[in-house]
Amino acid sequence: MRVDVFKIPQAGPDDVSGLHHLIQSGAIAPQQIVGVLGKTEGNGCVNDFTRGFATQSLKVYLAKYLSPEAIQEIVFVMSGGTEGVISPHLTVFTRQPDDPQRSPRLGLVLGTARTRPFLPREIGTMTMVTTVAAAVQEAIADAGAAAEQIHFVQIKCPLMTASQRSSQAEVVQISSYQSMALSRGASALGVAIALGELSLNDLQEPDIAHNFDLYSGVASTSAGVELQNCEIMVLGNAPCTSAYVIGHSVMDHALDVEAVRQAMAQTGQGSDRMVQILAKAEASPTGQILGRRHTMLDDSDISHTRMARAVVGAAIASVVQDPMIYVSGGSEHQGPPGGGPVAAIACLDE
């Protein structure tokens, strides 16, 4: 396959002008769009409607070119929260058959999959873990890659709203916000199972969103109210004719810029060839960073996920000198506690 990557600035969640320009110029063929990652300027919490607004705007626009069935096949992952210097934008991935004029080389491949819708009571359970694991394996097969060739797995997962909790036969003793963490965590553990980073024997249901020694080094999960299933995109390197390549590393803490440089170095390309950085962000649950106390978990006015995005976004932007980066908050079982996976996509020298 040949995968292409387009990073598009947005003036607002409903701004499709940049995508429109690329389609009108012929740079993007709507029929080849397989995934869209977005950073929208909401709060990234339960009531962040910028995610759904952005997705709806994209679907309405693409309906000019594609059938409802074709639009349904596109993976839309909108991550809310552009705190600090993070700039709102879209990253559009297209896929087409290999270019016969090019010789295959190790380059970016992409696969997608979806789970069935989850019942509210299944969110954050072993049922979710195993269901996600099976779907991730489907996405890896769709990418034509092996598990060890995967560098980043992006999942959009559901959460449980207050009305859904009240409709359950048994009283559910978690908040909507807590359900986001459980959903992200179970989805990430599903990635770890699918990639062989963990085995099912390593994991019990009480571990989910509690035992953070269990994690994936490539999972990135983002919860939202705008869907009930999980939408999955895997990114890796395999022989193909793509003009892009991906590398990854794991940040041990929110200021671990050396891990960002390691991910970039894995691509074999210079900093001027970097197209996008994808990362997870978390306020360390220990209340410490580099041996110093932080207060992100104690602030009742601002969610710690918002603070973490601002910190990690600034740290990464300082390395790549570009604030248009994808940083998602809440990294339960995504990298070590207080850290998170980071991936770099670069354009290969032609």
Side-chain angles (χ1 to χ4, degrees):
M1 70 179 68
R2 176 188 171 97
V3 174
D4 288 298
V5 186
F6 303 86
K7 194 163 68 171
I8 306 170
Q10 281 191 296
D14 61 337
D15 180 17
V16 297
S17 61
L19 177 60
H20 175 71
H21 173 75
L22 289 173
I23 289 175
Q24 291 300 302
S25 70
I28 291 179
Q31 297 78 10
Q32 295 172 353
I33 297 174
V34 289
V36 183
L37 303 187
K39 282 304 304 179
T40 64
E41 57 241 60
N43 60 24
C45 298
V46 176
N47 64 330
D48 182 354
F49 295 103
T50 65
R51 298 179 302 233
F53 186 28
T55 299
Q56 181 186 50
S57 299
L58 288 165
K59 288 182 176 180
V60 169
Y61 172 73
L62 290 172
K64 301 175 183 179
Y65 306 96
L66 304 173
S67 68
E69 293 76 17
I71 293 173
Q72 189 63 29
E73 291 300 309
I74 299 172
V75 170
F76 294 95
V77 179
M78 298 298 126
S79 172
T82 54
E83 296 82 4
V85 300
I86 300 172
S87 183
H89 68 283
L90 302 172
T91 306
V92 177
F93 295 86
T94 63
R95 186 173 66 179
Q96 59 185 301
D98 276 320
D99 185 345
Q101 302 301 315
R102 298 189 181 197
S103 298
R105 58 182 173 180
L106 201 64
L108 184 65
V109 294
L110 179 156
T112 64
R114 288 173 174 78
T115 68
R116 63 168 174 79
F118 289 101
L119 298 172
R121 66 173 179 270
E122 294 177 320
I123 292 174
T125 66
M126 286 301 297
T127 297
M128 188 174 197
V129 171
T130 55
T131 302
V132 168
V136 170
Q137 290 175 332
E138 291 176 15
I140 294 171
D142 184 51
E148 59 270 20
Q149 295 173 310
I150 301 303
H151 288 262
F152 205 72
V153 180
Q154 179 63 58
I155 298 180
K156 190 68 187 183
C157 51
L159 57 84
M160 187 190 307
T161 64
S163 60
Q164 289 171 335
R165 291 201 313 277
S166 65
S167 68
Q168 300 301 293
E170 298 179 0
V171 177
V172 179
Q173 301 293 337
I174 61 171
S175 68
S176 298
Y177 191 68
Q178 289 171 322
S179 79
M180 295 182 80
L182 284 165
S183 186
R184 290 190 300 255
S187 297
L189 290 168
V191 173
I193 298 299
L195 295 182
E197 296 172 292
L198 297 172
S199 74
L200 280 174
N201 293 332
D202 298 323
L203 180 63
Q204 298 180 21
E205 194 156 296
D207 290 322
I208 301 172
H210 287 93
N211 182 0
F212 295 116
D213 290 332
L214 305 175
Y215 61 82
S216 167
V218 297
S220 170
T221 65
S222 175
V225 72
E226 61 269 23
L227 78 177
Q228 289 301 311
N229 65 330
C230 286
E231 298 201 352
I232 300 163
M233 179 191 303
V234 303
L235 299 168
N237 294 320
C240 64
T241 59
S242 295
Y244 299 85
V245 66
I246 186 170
H248 85 277
S249 186
V250 178
M251 297 177 72
D252 288 330
H253 53 80
L255 299 175
D256 187 6
V257 294
E258 184 56 36
V260 180
R261 295 190 179 98
Q262 290 171 1
M264 294 166 62
Q266 266 197 21
T267 69
Q269 303 299 306
S271 59
D272 61 323
R273 307 293 290 181
M274 295 301 131
V275 175
Q276 182 59 293
I277 305 293
L278 311 166
K280 289 300 298 187
E282 179 177 74
S284 175
T286 66
Q288 300 253 324
I289 181 168
L290 296 174
R292 304 294 191 184
R293 185 172 71 95
H294 72 74
T295 61
M296 288 185 278
L297 297 170
D298 299 319
D299 195 318
S300 298
D301 297 316
I302 304 174
S303 165
H304 59 88
T305 58
R306 305 193 70 185
M307 290 188 176
R309 277 192 297 270
V311 172
V312 175
I316 294 175
S318 72
V319 175
V320 296
Q321 289 296 290
D322 185 357
M324 201 180 295
I325 50 179
Y326 182 92
V327 179
S328 173
S331 61
E332 301 83 3
H333 304 293
Q334 301 153 73
V342 58
I345 299 175
C347 185
L348 292 164
D349 291 320
E350 294 297 317

